[in-house]
Amino acid sequence: GGVCGLKALTVSLTKLLVGPSSANINNCHGSCAFPLTNGNNHAILLNSHIESGNADERSPCCVPVAYEALEVVDWNADGTFISIKPDAVARECGCR
Amino acid sequence: GGVCGLKALTVSLTKLLVGPSSANINNCHGSCAFPLTNGNNHAILLNSHIESGNADERSPCCVPVAYEALEVVDWNADGTFISIKPDAVARECGCR
Amino acid sequence: LQQKRRCFFQITESTEHNYRQNKKYTAAGSVSGSVQVCETTDCCVGYYRIINGTPKADVLACDRIEKSCPDETCKAQPRINNQFFTCMCSTDLCNGNITWGK
Amino acid sequence: LQQKRRCFFQITESTEHNYRQNKKYTAAGSVSGSVQVCETTDCCVGYYRIINGTPKADVLACDRIEKSCPDETCKAQPRINNQFFTCMCSTDLCNGNITWGK
């Protein structure tokens, strides 16, 4: 399904948080095979190693590499409170 | 094979660079299943979404989250030169 | 000239931490007494905590988090295994009267 | 008192960029004329470029990159599909005489 990139993903938060009921946190999907377009030096070296016949090594994976925070209503024993959750929404993907 | 963590990985560089002949760039291996120990907020929300029955979504992957640079002898049409390659050696792993 | 949404306003001084965080609801509109005039939303919200089986309003305010409120009245929605309930609504002062479903 | 390794030293002024980068080899030991006394390694290295089928020394120096040199003499090892050759060795001035294998 194409090269590694960002896709919208709406998840329900009702079991974890008081609010909001759902949020778009995005997710990363797609191929990280040769030729690697959005990898860093480690991913390039790792892919070259795997292409040289080491198929059993973990190959680069399409994952978020930049995030945004999400403002939520969190909870504790004393009630609810507004909280900023860092690194909650994927903003950019890469091969790592 | 255990939870997501760092393992040594020595790769040959002779096809890509003039020196060194090989280097330990490390790689990340292991499980990112529930309960997630080294994930960020996005990975926790993603795992919760998948555990709720959305098995077709891309699940968190064990990847490098911190790197070191590698000093190498690179090359161009004019000869060889010392070069610092950033993000070449994995230093820490996480579920992303 | 469209009238701005008015919502009941209440934040609980349960602990210093929660109170400090929940003061951020005041950014959604000016508060006078127990009423807030919303500047950034048309939605009122209520967050309720269940204490010994009885709901207690933890926060009433103009919405800052939910971003959507299709219903005119404030219908209770369970959160965190029925430990909390939330409601959102789109009429003036609608968050003062939560409707508890079965 | 152990004697420090001495290596032949040469860096090529091919371009300003490459020359500036390759000045870093001088950090491995003090240079006088065409000889470098290694401070941080026991290895000498040579990097050769193949121009019209003939090897030309691009860099001779105390090692900064390779970190290992099991052989006493400097045996040519191919790099980048035979466009470059490198050799490493562990005796004084051994990088002045590269051995070309078949």
Side-chain angles (χ1 to χ4, degrees):
Chain A
V3 297
C4 175
L6 199 65
K7 283 191 184 172
L9 172 65
T10 299
V11 300
S12 167
L13 301 176
T14 59
K15 286 180 184 169
L16 300 170
L17 297 166
V18 178
S21 59
S22 67
N24 174 24
I25 63 167
N26 293 323
N27 198 9
C28 296
H29 290 265
S31 166
C32 284
F34 183 84
L36 206 58
T37 50
N38 43 8
N40 59 10
N41 282 319
H42 183 270
I44 290 167
L45 293 174
L46 181 54
N47 243 6
S48 162
H49 180 70
I50 290 165
E51 295 277 321
S52 302
N54 301 282
D56 54 333
E57 191 56 47
R58 181 197 70 88
S59 54
C61 192
C62 178
V63 294
V65 296
Y67 295 92
E68 282 167 11
L70 182 68
E71 194 177 48
V72 301
V73 180
D74 206 346
W75 57 282
N76 57 23
D78 304 305
T80 72
F81 59 96
I82 288 179
S83 174
I84 306 283
K85 300 291 184 187
D87 297 340
V89 180
R91 204 186 68 204
E92 208 179 296
C93 302
C95 294
R96 293 292 184 270
Chain B
V3 297
C4 175
L6 199 66
K7 282 191 183 170
L9 172 64
T10 299
V11 300
S12 168
L13 302 176
T14 58
K15 287 180 185 171
L16 301 169
L17 297 165
V18 179
S21 59
S22 67
N24 175 22
I25 63 167
N26 293 323
N27 198 9
C28 296
H29 289 265
S31 166
C32 283
F34 183 85
L36 206 58
T37 51
N38 43 7
N40 58 9
N41 282 319
H42 184 270
I44 290 166
L45 293 174
L46 181 55
N47 243 6
S48 162
H49 180 69
I50 290 164
E51 294 277 320
S52 301
N54 301 281
D56 54 334
E57 191 56 47
R58 182 198 69 88
S59 54
C61 190
C62 178
V63 294
V65 297
Y67 296 92
E68 281 168 10
L70 182 67
E71 195 177 48
V72 302
V73 180
D74 206 347
W75 57 282
N76 56 23
D78 305 305
T80 72
F81 59 96
I82 289 180
S83 175
I84 307 283
K85 300 290 183 188
D87 297 341
V89 181
R91 204 186 69 205
E92 209 179 295
C93 302
C95 294
R96 293 293 184 269
Chain C
L1 192 74
Q2 183 150 10
Q3 197 75 25
K4 288 173 184 168
R5 174 75 57 239
R6 292 181 303 134
C7 304
F8 277 113
F9 184 85
Q10 174 189 322
I11 57 176
T12 312
E13 288 193 58
S14 58
T15 62
E16 201 182 318
H17 166 265
N18 290 11
Y19 184 61
R20 188 176 59 240
Q21 290 303 110
N22 288 338
K23 275 187 184 161
K24 293 183 181 176
Y25 288 107
T26 59
S30 60
V31 176
S32 73
S34 63
V35 173
Q36 184 174 27
V37 179
C38 308
E39 292 294 333
T40 58
T41 179
D42 276 322
C43 300
C44 300
V45 295
Y47 296 113
Y48 288 77
R49 210 178 139 201
I50 307 300
I51 301 174
N52 298 329
T54 306
K56 182 174 171 300
D58 197 62
V59 168
L60 302 175
C62 296
D63 173 50
R64 182 186 168 94
I65 303 290
E66 306 292 340
K67 309 288 166 66
S68 143
C69 51
D71 292 330
E72 296 195 347
T73 59
C74 226
K75 293 174 184 164
Q77 299 176 15
R79 296 285 184 267
I80 325 290
N81 286 325
N82 297 314
Q83 292 182 67
F84 294 87
F85 281 80
T86 176
C87 74
M88 303 132 228
C89 52
S90 60
T91 54
D92 280 347
L93 303 176
C94 60
N95 62 337
N97 191 11
I98 191 167
T99 311
W100 300 93
K102 52 180 157 43
Chain D
L1 191 73
Q2 182 149 12
Q3 197 75 24
K4 289 171 184 169
R5 173 75 56 241
R6 293 181 303 134
C7 304
F8 278 113
F9 184 84
Q10 174 191 321
I11 58 177
T12 312
E13 287 193 60
S14 58
T15 62
E16 202 181 317
H17 167 265
N18 289 11
Y19 183 62
R20 188 176 60 241
Q21 290 303 109
N22 288 339
K23 275 187 184 162
K24 292 183 181 176
Y25 288 108
T26 59
S30 60
V31 177
S32 73
S34 63
V35 173
Q36 184 174 27
V37 179
C38 308
E39 290 295 333
T40 59
T41 179
D42 276 322
C43 299
C44 300
V45 295
Y47 296 113
Y48 289 77
R49 210 180 141 200
I50 306 300
I51 301 175
N52 298 328
T54 306
K56 181 175 172 298
D58 197 62
V59 168
L60 301 176
C62 296
D63 174 49
R64 181 186 169 95
I65 304 289
E66 305 293 339
K67 309 286 167 63
S68 145
C69 52
D71 292 330
E72 295 196 347
T73 58
C74 226
K75 292 174 186 164
Q77 299 174 14
R79 296 285 184 265
I80 325 289
N81 286 324
N82 296 314
Q83 292 182 67
F84 295 87
F85 281 80
T86 176
C87 76
M88 303 133 230
C89 53
S90 58
T91 55
D92 280 347
L93 304 175
C94 61
N95 62 337
N97 191 11
I98 190 168
T99 312
W100 300 93
K102 51 179 156 49

